Amino acid sequence: MSIKLMYITNDKAIARLAESVGIERIFVDLEYLGKAERQKNFNSFISNHKIEDVSIVRKAISLSKLLVRVNPINPESKEEIDKVINRGADIVMLPMFTTADEVKDFIRFVNRRAKVLLLLETGKAVENLNEILSLNGIDEIHLGLNDLRITMRLKFIFESLSNGIVDFIVKKIKSKGIDFGFGGIGRMGEGELPARMILAEHYRLGSKMVILSRSFKGNRDYKELAESNWLKQEIRKIRDEERRLICWKEEQFEENRKKVIKSVNRIIEVKNEKSLIHSDT
C-alpha cells in the first residue's frame, strides 16, 4: 500500500489537478497563531489560507480527502473547528499542542464529525506522549519535524530522524495501533538529505503519510503544472520508488538508516563550520 501524499494548496484548479494525479489529501492550512514569531529565523512556509478556502477546495475535489490544519487550542477553537467541519473537512489537524488536556479538548470539539489528526511537533508533547496516547479518539499522528527541531533546539530538520527521537516516538505510537507519518519530502533525486533516503525511512518505520514539500509547486502556476504533466511525472517517480522499496529486505533498510545518520551528521558538521566562520567575522 502506498503512502498517502498531502499537498498544501488553496487553489481550486491545483487541488483538482493534485487529485487527478493520485494525491490522496489536499491540505488547507489555516494555522497562523504564533507561527510567524516561532519560525521567523527559519525558511518555513507561512500560509495565507482563509476559512473560505475550505469551501472552495471542498467543491473542487471528490476523491481526495480534505485535510484542514486549524490553529493551536485557544478560546476560539471550538468555533473554528465547527466552521471547517461544516465547510466539508474530512480530517482536522491540531498543531503545537503540549498537553493531554489540549488534545482532549480538540477531540471533544471535533466530536467524531471528522478524523482527528494530531501534529506532534513540540518537545513538551513528546514528554507528555504516554498521557496523550492514553486518550480515546486519536485517529492519526503526524510528526512535524520542523517545529520539533525548533522546540528541541536541533541543528537540522532531519536530526530527530538520525538521532533516534523519531524511532522512540514511533514505537510508542505503533504500540497503540495509531497510523502515523512524519515530516515532508522533496522531489526524487533532490534534497539536502536525498528524498529517496527519506522515503526509505518512511517504509522502514511503517509510516502511512507524508507532506509534499514546496518543491512540488515552487513558482509554477496551474498551467505549467498541468500542461507539461510536470506534477504527474513527479508523483509517478515517488510511486516508482515505492514499488522498489516494497521489495527491500530488512538489511537494506538498515543500510539506508546508517547512510541517513552519516549524511545528517555531515550536514550538521557543515552547518557548525559555517556558524563558526560567521561568528569569527
Side-chain angles (χ1 to χ4, degrees), residues 93-147:
M93 174 188 276
L94 175 68
M96 294 307 294
F97 61 90
T98 58
T99 68
D101 284 341
E102 289 172 301
V103 174
K104 192 182 298 182
D105 284 343
F106 181 65
I107 293 169
R108 180 165 53 86
F109 294 153
V110 174
N111 194 25
R112 295 188 292 275
R113 294 173 294 165
K115 272 194 173 184
V116 165
L117 172 54
L118 303 182
L119 182 60
L120 195 161
E121 53 183 345
T122 69
K124 288 184 179 178
V126 176
E127 292 174 14
N128 295 323
L129 188 55
N130 288 340
E131 187 181 1
I132 290 166
L133 289 175
S134 71
L135 298 173
N136 293 320
I138 301 170
D139 294 304
E140 300 174 342
I141 299 177
H142 194 81
L143 279 60
L145 301 190
N146 189 45
D147 274 297

Side-chain angles (χ1 to χ4, degrees), residues 22-146:
I23 294 172
E24 292 91 347
R25 295 182 174 183
I26 310 302
F27 188 150
V28 174
D29 185 9
L30 302 182
E31 183 193 4
Y32 70 90
L33 289 177
K35 194 167 186 178
E37 176 63 23
R38 189 172 74 243
Q39 299 185 352
K40 64 181 179 181
N41 296 319
F42 299 87
N43 181 27
S44 303
F45 173 76
I46 306 292
S47 172
N48 62 354
H49 296 186
K50 307 296 182 187
I51 189 74
E52 293 80 14
D53 296 328
V54 179
S55 299
I56 290 169
V57 174
R58 174 73 281 165
K59 291 175 183 175
I61 61 175
S62 56
L63 298 175
S64 299
K65 298 297 184 183
L66 175 55
L67 163 62
V68 181
R69 173 161 57 187
V70 294
N71 282 290
I73 292 295
N74 67 86
E76 309 300 324
S77 286
K78 185 179 185 307
E79 182 180 357
E80 182 182 35
I81 291 166
D82 284 344
K83 285 180 179 178
V84 302
I85 292 174
N86 290 338
R87 288 174 180 266
D90 297 302
I91 308 158
V92 186
M93 174 188 276
L94 175 68
M96 294 307 294
F97 61 90
T98 58
T99 68
D101 284 341
E102 289 172 301
V103 174
K104 192 182 298 182
D105 284 343
F106 181 65
I107 293 169
R108 180 165 53 86
F109 294 153
V110 174
N111 194 25
R112 295 188 292 275
R113 294 173 294 165
K115 272 194 173 184
V116 165
L117 172 54
L118 303 182
L119 182 60
L120 195 161
E121 53 183 345
T122 69
K124 288 184 179 178
V126 176
E127 292 174 14
N128 295 323
L129 188 55
N130 288 340
E131 187 181 1
I132 290 166
L133 289 175
S134 71
L135 298 173
N136 293 320
I138 301 170
D139 294 304
E140 300 174 342
I141 299 177
H142 194 81
L143 279 60
L145 301 190
N146 189 45

